[in-house]
């Protein structure tokens, strides 16, 4: 518990804790004596793993795809359990979290701008209004319109084609010329509802000019509209048509000036989409000249075990900082450690049924499988195709990357 002059912040509602950031939130809550409650759908709740069920003080069963009903159910629940803050792990549910916090009069994000943190079309408008450097873009609803935009030459080649609302690189393609455009637009428009909650998605498709350069992410915790930058993380992706994350490393191996420029761009992006008391995960590419261009931001903790590698490298708990911000308290973002960590994902070469995986046991690393032998692995076109991950910790980021690379190189994956 915090000192006596701080408000009672022992109850926090998490709108859908199931997901990559969930375990980190649970751990941070336990460390600071916060009771976590979940809001979810009955069907999703039935699939919760035992560690999550054990960690929750209570569950509000509702229908997250039905905004009006979910808000009513959660409002009643939060009053009954004296909830002091609203957290969220899923990007598509971040506007719902902003609406709930506003309704309860709790610290939270601007509900009028919250849609921009989920919808990449609204995000592009918000970035333009706030002067955040972002790729030039166009919105289309058909392949024919996409060809017209491409033929105008306004966005150049390659073009990035992506769904207005999605995550995990689902439906994102980098297209080199007109031949690939029909398939890319079809892929971006393919998914109309997001599982597991059945949230309806904006069917429009976003075309963006391709931003060259290395990619990083920077998270920003915001308290009463004041941004507190978190450590910058290097992001590695596959090249080519599908840009699937292959890993993340912290520290990012950049000079202090570039780190600051990325953190400033990330903070501007977070504020532009209305993050006021919460956290944002922002992806940034650095042009060869050093200028940061914001690819996207989301009003949530990062996925991909980034919470784990940031804490291993710097001692900063993003989840703890988030819990403080969303309960209206000043976050602590001071690094207490000067080490390094890397996460690398195990991706199959092709789709099929996973027959066998052997991951070598290398000191300084630990691994986890996401897919079990006998289960199907999809084509490695998005993050659903991951077989597992390995985390490596070391004194320097080069050593951490080397250790992780050693594990990946020694891993044997059989897909039939
Ligand atoms: N305009 C762009 N220029 C260059 N690369 C891009 C652009 N847009 C997206 N990418 C690449 O594709 C990846 C996925 O795109 P984006 O982040 O927009 O989609 P997402 O589904 O939210 O992805 P994720 O959840 O995996 O971050 C980016 O991390 C980046 O590597
Ligand atoms: Mg992204």
């Amino acid at each position: 518990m915090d000192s006596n002059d701080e408000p009672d912040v022992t109850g926090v509602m998490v709108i859908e804790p199931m997901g990559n950031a969930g375990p980190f939130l649970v751990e941070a809550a336990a460390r600071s004596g916060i009771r976590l409650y979940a809001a979810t759908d009955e069907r999703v709740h039935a699939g919760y793993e035992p560690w999550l069920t054990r960690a929750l003080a209570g569950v509000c069963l509702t229908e997250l795809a039905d905004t009006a009903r979910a808000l009513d159910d959660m409002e009643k629940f939060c009053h009954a359990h004296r909830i002091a803050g609203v957290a969220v792990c899923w990007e598509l549910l971040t506007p719902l979290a902003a609406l709930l916090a506003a309704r309860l009069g709790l610290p939270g994000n601007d509900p009028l701008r919250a849609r921009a943190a989920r919808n990449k079309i609204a995000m592009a408008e918000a970035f333009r209004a706030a002067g955040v450097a972002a790729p030039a873009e166009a919105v289309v609803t058909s392949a024919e319109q996409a060809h017209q935009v491409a033929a105008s030459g306004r966005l150049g080649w390659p073009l990035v084609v992506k769904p207005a609302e999605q995550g995990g690189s689902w439906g994102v393609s980098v297209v080199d010329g007109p031949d690939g455009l029909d398939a890319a637009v079809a892929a971006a428009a393919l998914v109309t509802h997001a599982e597991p909650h059945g949230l309806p998605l904006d069917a429009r498709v976003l075309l963006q000019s391709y931003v060259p350069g290395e990619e990083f992410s920077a998270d920003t915790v915001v308290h009463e509209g004041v941004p507190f930058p978190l450590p910058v993380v290097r992001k590695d992706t596959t090249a080519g048509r599908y840009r699937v994350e292959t890993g993340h490393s912290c520290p990012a191996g950049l000079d202090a000036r570039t780190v600051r420029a990325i953190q400033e761009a990330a903070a501007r992006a977070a504020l532009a989409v209305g993050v006021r008391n919460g956290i944002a995960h922002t992806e940034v590419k650095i042009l060869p000249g050093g200028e940061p261009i914001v690819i996207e931001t989301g009003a949530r903790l990062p996925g991909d075990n980034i919470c784990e590698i940031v804490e291993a490298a710097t001692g900063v708990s993003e989840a703890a900082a988030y819990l403080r911000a969303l309960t209206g308290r000043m976050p602590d973002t001071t690094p207490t450690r000067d080490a390094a960590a890397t996460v690398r994902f195990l991706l199959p070469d092709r789709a099929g049924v996973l027959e066998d995986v052997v991951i070598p046991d290398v000191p300084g690393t630990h691994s986890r499988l996401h897919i079990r032998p006998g289960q199907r692995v999809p084509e490695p076109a998005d993050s659903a195709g991951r077989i597992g991950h390995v985390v490596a910790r070391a004194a320097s980021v080069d050593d951490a990357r080397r250790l992780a690379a050693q594990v990946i190189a020694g891993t044997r994956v059989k897909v039939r």
Side-chain angles (χ1 to χ4, degrees):
M1 277 271 282
D2 291 279
S3 62
N4 292 335
D5 57 349
E6 292 208 331
D8 178 10
V9 291
T10 49
V12 165
M13 163 65 90
V14 192
I15 303 182
E16 197 50 84
M18 199 259 298
N20 185 271
F24 305 107
L25 208 52
V26 162
E27 191 196 353
R31 268 191 267 161
S32 35
I34 288 177
R35 287 189 314 275
L36 285 188
Y37 297 85
T40 185
D41 294 3
E42 204 164 343
R43 199 170 39 83
V44 179
H45 182 244
Y48 275 16
E49 289 182 35
W51 67 264
L52 180 54
T53 305
R54 273 197 307 273
L56 296 171
V59 178
C60 170
L61 291 179
T62 183
E63 195 75 52
L64 293 175
D66 180 345
T67 301
R69 179 184 153 191
L71 283 173
D72 285 348
D73 289 347
M74 292 191 294
E75 183 182 13
K76 273 193 219 108
F77 186 96
C78 288
H79 281 309
H81 294 86
R82 296 175 44 241
I83 295 296
V86 179
V88 59
C89 291
W90 291 56
E91 188 159 299
L92 294 172
L93 295 168
T94 54
L96 187 62
L99 286 171
L100 179 64
R103 205 190 255 207
L104 295 167
L106 294 174
N109 297 337
D110 180 355
L112 297 177
R113 284 187 291 166
R115 187 166 166 270
R118 132 176 193 160
N119 185 296
K120 289 178 172 133
I121 295 171
M123 191 183 298
E125 287 161 12
F127 284 171
R128 210 174 359 263
V132 174
E137 94 291 341
V139 179
V140 301
T141 52
S142 67
E144 194 188 342
Q145 284 177 7
H147 279 284
Q148 281 166 9
V149 171
S152 77
R154 187 164 72 79
L155 302 180
W157 295 105
L159 261 181
V160 184
V161 182
K162 58 175 82 171
E165 297 184 322
Q166 261 300 358
S169 309
W170 285 27
V172 179
S173 316
V174 178
V175 182
D176 289 327
D179 287 352
L181 215 43
D182 290 3
V185 172
L190 186 66
V191 180
T192 59
H193 289 77
E195 290 311 326
H197 307 101
L199 304 170
L201 299 173
D202 183 345
R204 293 175 295 167
V205 171
L206 195 59
L207 307 185
Q208 286 181 339
S209 59
Y210 180 82
V211 181
E214 294 185 306
E215 187 164 2
F216 301 90
S217 69
D219 300 337
T220 315
V221 58
V222 185
H223 169 62
E224 299 295 340
V226 178
F228 293 73
L230 292 159
V232 173
V233 172
R234 176 180 294 270
K235 168 170 172 170
D236 296 307
T237 67
T238 53
R241 181 180 184 96
Y242 304 120
R243 301 297 162 106
V244 185
E245 281 115 341
T246 53
H248 303 271
S249 302
C250 184
L254 294 167
D255 60 80
R257 200 166 134 255
T258 311
V259 165
R260 245 192 334 273
I262 292 173
Q263 289 174 326
E264 279 166 16
R268 277 197 300 276
L271 298 180
V273 300
V275 177
R276 277 188 321 215
N277 289 288
I279 201 162
H281 173 65
T282 305
E283 295 177 319
V284 174
K285 290 193 89 170
I286 296 291
L287 292 177
E291 189 198 345
I293 305 290
V294 175
I295 299 296
E296 65 156 344
T297 191
R300 56 169 175 85
L301 283 166
D304 286 358
N305 288 65
I306 288 175
C307 288
E308 180 179 354
I309 64 157
V310 165
E311 185 160 8
T314 68
V316 175
S317 164
E318 296 206 9
Y322 179 41
L323 284 171
R324 286 194 66 89
L326 65 90
T327 49
R329 294 171 301 160
M330 180 96 86
D332 183 4
T333 57
T334 318
T336 56
R337 201 178 291 154
D338 184 13
T342 290
V343 59
R344 284 275 307 260
F345 304 108
L346 298 166
L347 299 168
D349 295 332
R350 59 184 179 87
V353 173
L354 184 64
E355 203 158 82
D356 195 24
V357 193
V358 182
I359 306 176
D361 202 359
V362 175
T365 73
H366 63 265
S367 313
R368 219 185 121 197
L369 283 182
H370 305 174
I371 296 179
R372 301 272 153 211
Q375 291 183 318
R376 272 203 71 75
V377 286
E379 191 189 357
D382 54 54
S383 55
R386 287 176 191 160
I387 293 171
H389 70 257
V390 50
V391 172
R393 300 175 63 157
S396 78
V397 75
D398 287 345
D399 284 345
R401 288 170 74 92
R402 233 189 323 272
L403 282 176
Q406 195 183 328
V407 174
I408 298 283
T411 296
R412 297 286 162 259
V413 179
K414 246 200 248 165
V415 172
R416 80 181 134 77

